[in-house]
Amino acid sequence: MGGSVINTNLFSLRHTFESGQPLTFFADYNRSRNAISYQEGNSMFDIKMVGSAEKGRLVLNAGKADGVRRRFRLDDDMQGIYGRINTDPFMDRAIRRYSGMRLTVNDPWETTLVFIISQLNNLKRIRLITRNIIERFGTPIKDEDGRVVARSFPTSEDLMEATEKELRECNAGFRDKYIRSAAEYCTNNLDLYRLRGKSYHALKEELMTISGVGDKVADCIALMGYGRLEAFPIDVWVKRTLERIYFKGRKRPVKQLHRFVDERFGDMKGYAQQYIFWGGRMMA
DNA sequence: ACCCAGGCGGGCG
DNA sequence: CGCCCGCATGGG
């Protein structure tokens, strides 16, 4: 069952959960309990955070500790990462305010689906659509009495049976065809789980062969589905924030922004992006 | 009414 | 290559 405890340094369950990453679209976070629960495969996770973000502990009522360590990147050296990306007053402020916010490690297919849904969309609707799809196509998980207590995230194979009409009913909108096509393609043509060893650029190239996955979404998948910290997805928020903080509010082509962050944040770009994304939204 | 959201594919020059 | 357009849907 559970019962285990993980000691944490510079980890905030709340900021991690509220920062718009794939897990946050289907896990349930209770702010007053400072606890989350979610389904992963056949296992249920129920995790409560105690103590401060600087030094705290995670109490697992359900779920395995090693999986939690990996999912929340608890072995990352945040002190070192902050030292690397805290390059200016804006970053300093974002790091202070969201101290302990981690990148999460998510399943490649889940991440792919979520970020296909994310295009031209907002966090609230991404969450709605994701939940609808899980509810409709996820495999039911039952208790001893046969009652459905949860549903697992639908695999690509599960989603091959989804019609465009059904996906529209999940509020997917024009993304229905991308979802269908990705489900089939990732079942029959591209095994996402075999891409883990590839270089960042090779990985991106493979991901972009999926219809509905372009440069930005591929970066999101690389970062949050494969843990590639070299990835720096630039969405409208990140673009605006970079321009505001580093270019006096002048519009800059995405290509130039990529060169800028490559130089500035180096191999910790991915973490920098998460703080710029969330800090830029919340501290505008 | 209009604009926007963790963009992408396709068509055109 | 780059540019421009349409795309569903709900909220401000």
Side-chain angles (χ1 to χ4, degrees):
Chain A
M1 282 298 280
S4 51
V5 173
I6 304 171
N7 291 315
T8 57
N9 293 294
L10 287 175
F11 173 72
S12 165
L13 186 66
R14 174 179 167 191
H15 294 322
T16 300
F17 182 84
E18 292 183 341
S19 63
Q21 303 186 53
L23 174 66
T24 73
F25 297 127
F26 61 90
D28 283 306
Y29 175 67
N30 184 317
R31 197 187 273 194
S32 58
R33 267 186 81 216
N34 198 12
I36 66 170
S37 62
Y38 59 93
Q39 190 69 37
E40 192 159 84
N42 285 319
S43 327
M44 188 68 194
F45 285 76
D46 187 272
I47 304 160
K48 182 170 162 54
M49 173 96 199
V50 181
S52 69
E54 286 64 39
K55 211 162 189 51
R57 56 188 191 282
L58 288 172
V59 181
L60 277 62
N61 299 313
K64 293 200 177 80
D66 54 348
V68 172
R69 294 195 79 84
R70 203 181 59 84
R71 210 176 200 324
F72 295 103
R73 302 189 64 116
L74 293 178
D75 294 321
D76 282 355
D77 169 21
M78 294 312 288
Q79 209 69 264
I81 290 167
Y82 288 156
R84 180 65 190 83
I85 67 175
N86 190 349
T87 57
D88 57 86
F90 171 81
M91 291 302 294
D92 188 62
R93 209 150 68 88
I95 290 166
R96 285 176 193 281
R97 181 167 308 192
Y98 299 103
S99 178
M101 178 171 66
R102 304 281 176 129
L103 289 166
T104 56
V105 176
N106 303 274
D107 175 87
W109 162 250
E110 289 178 16
T111 310
T112 299
L113 183 66
V114 163
F115 280 106
I116 284 174
I117 293 168
S118 80
Q119 61 178 108
L120 196 59
N121 214 338
N122 56 59
L123 293 180
K124 189 175 175 187
R125 262 175 53 78
I126 296 166
R127 187 161 200 241
L128 171 74
I129 296 165
T130 303
R131 289 183 166 223
N132 287 345
I133 288 176
I134 292 171
E135 188 55 37
R136 186 139 189 176
F137 300 103
T139 303
I141 294 162
K142 300 173 181 172
D143 64 10
E144 303 81 19
D145 304 325
R147 286 181 312 189
V148 177
V149 290
R151 284 174 188 274
S152 62
F153 198 102
T155 63
S156 61
E157 205 167 350
D158 291 338
L159 271 187
M160 281 177 65
E161 66 179 63
T163 65
E164 296 194 359
K165 178 170 173 295
E166 289 170 323
L167 291 168
R168 286 290 172 110
E169 286 165 3
C170 293
N171 298 291
F174 66 88
R175 307 160 194 84
D176 57 352
K177 54 187 176 300
Y178 297 144
I179 295 171
R180 276 185 57 76
S181 146
E184 186 184 347
Y185 185 69
C186 292
T187 302
N188 294 328
N189 303 101
L190 179 68
D191 184 351
L192 294 173
Y193 301 96
R194 292 198 160 197
L195 302 180
R196 298 192 205 260
K198 291 200 176 282
S199 74
Y200 166 65
H201 289 289
L203 171 64
K204 249 184 99 167
E205 203 168 312
E206 295 274 9
L207 293 172
M208 286 174 67
T209 63
I210 303 167
S211 178
V213 176
D215 188 76
K216 189 270 176 182
V217 166
D219 268 333
C220 286
I221 302 169
L223 182 60
M224 298 175 207
Y226 293 86
R228 306 307 285 266
L229 300 183
E230 315 98 297
F232 192 100
I234 299 182
D235 72 331
V236 295
W237 294 99
V238 171
K239 183 169 189 293
R240 271 205 293 262
T241 303
L242 289 174
E243 288 163 347
R244 176 163 61 88
I245 304 299
Y246 302 111
F247 295 92
K248 301 177 177 175
R250 296 182 204 284
K251 297 287 182 196
R252 288 290 180 259
V254 170
K255 205 168 178 181
Q256 183 181 343
L257 296 175
H258 269 122
R259 269 185 271 127
F260 175 78
V261 298
D262 283 355
E263 166 98 21
R264 192 176 187 90
F265 300 116
D267 54 359
M268 288 296 133
K269 284 198 295 286
Y271 260 105
Q273 191 272 354
Q274 187 60 27
Y275 282 82
I276 291 166
F277 171 66
W278 202 244
R281 288 175 61 115
M282 307 305 283
M283 307 192 305

